[in-house]
Amino acid sequence: MNIVDRQLPDKKSKNEVSLSAYTLLFSELIQYNQRKVTHIKELERRLADIGYSVGVRLLEYIAWKDKGDKYLKRETNTVRFLQFIAVTVWKLLFGKAATLERSMDKKEQFMITEDSTLVDKFISVPKDMQGLNCASLVGGLVEGLLDAAEFPARVSTHSVSVDTQKTPRTVILIEFNASVLAREQKYSL
């Protein structure tokens, strides 16, 4: 059976890819791109670009495979679409939901936070690259999902140290374009 013809995984299904195969592939992806750049920001940008193309295709794939409205309908509300990303897409990709928060200062800013991302789980960053955030791939994925659903936004990925955790928390900061908020306000009932 072709992989495209299979059903989308749900919470009861087993993982399709072993964790060791995933980490090997991700490690090779980082090493390949690391050889092609000279600065950490360039590497993060390349990872975000890869994630972006995956995000665009992922939304298309979910919409194509979803025949019974289980996962997706054409969402026009920014908060509901972000909830779809933080809960449904996160569970499909990482097996657990992320946390969605709205900025107190700016109404166009949202944050998706996760205490320990799978992409950072087995990464050991060398001393000369201490600022590297490999979760930029996930930030690019979120940006691709948003652009594919016609919610243009600027997405950035940050690591935030937390005293109670060994690993830093990943924060994906989403800042929607003014056109998205104007459209939402215009069509809200």
Side-chain angles (χ1 to χ4, degrees):
M1 174 182 272
N2 188 342
I3 193 167
V4 176
D5 295 330
R6 294 182 192 169
Q7 291 290 334
L8 285 172
D10 57 6
K11 21 184 175 180
K12 296 176 186 157
S13 68
K14 294 183 179 178
N15 292 333
E16 292 286 327
V17 178
S18 72
L19 188 58
S20 58
Y22 164 77
T23 54
L24 174 68
L25 180 65
F26 190 64
S27 170
E28 289 298 319
L29 177 75
I30 291 173
Q31 289 176 33
Y32 173 79
N33 284 295
Q34 186 179 359
R35 282 185 234 123
K36 304 234 181 242
V37 299
T38 56
H39 294 72
I40 294 172
K41 290 295 179 195
E42 288 179 72
L43 179 56
E44 288 177 347
R45 182 74 251 152
R46 287 179 74 107
L47 291 174
D49 290 344
I50 293 167
Y52 181 90
S53 64
V54 170
V56 170
R57 291 182 179 118
L58 180 64
L59 184 64
E60 185 178 327
Y61 177 73
I62 290 171
W64 178 73
K65 287 294 286 186
D66 182 35
K67 306 222 185 328
D69 199 26
K70 179 179 177 185
Y71 292 112
L72 183 68
K73 64 176 187 167
R74 173 66 175 110
E75 191 57 68
T76 57
N77 182 285
T78 55
V79 175
R80 286 195 296 260
F81 191 74
L82 286 172
Q83 287 172 335
F84 165 76
I85 292 173
V87 176
T88 306
V89 172
W90 236 258
K91 283 183 180 178
L92 283 171
L93 294 176
F94 306 117
K96 62 180 181 177
T99 306
L100 177 64
E101 301 172 22
R102 188 174 201 149
S103 173
M104 295 293 211
D105 302 332
K106 298 180 180 178
K107 64 181 179 178
E108 70 273 3
Q109 281 188 350
F110 292 85
M111 294 166 276
I112 296 177
T113 59
E114 189 172 7
D115 288 336
S116 62
T117 57
L118 185 62
V119 294
D120 288 334
K121 192 171 189 174
F122 299 106
I123 299 294
S124 57
V125 179
K127 288 196 184 284
D128 62 329
M129 300 189 88
Q130 283 300 315
L132 177 64
N133 187 355
C134 293
S136 296
L137 180 99
V138 181
L141 188 137
V142 170
E143 188 173 3
L145 286 164
L146 290 168
D147 278 358
E150 297 182 15
F151 289 104
R154 193 172 60 93
V155 178
S156 57
T157 308
H158 309 277
S159 293
V160 178
S161 296
V162 179
D163 294 335
T164 59
Q165 289 180 204
K166 183 180 177 182
T167 59
R169 173 181 291 153
T170 300
V171 177
I172 299 171
L173 181 64
I174 302 159
E175 187 170 343
F176 286 104
N177 291 356
S179 63
V180 173
L181 298 176
R183 179 184 66 198
E184 188 169 296
Q185 188 174 13
K186 179 180 177 182
Y187 294 114
S188 66
L189 298 174

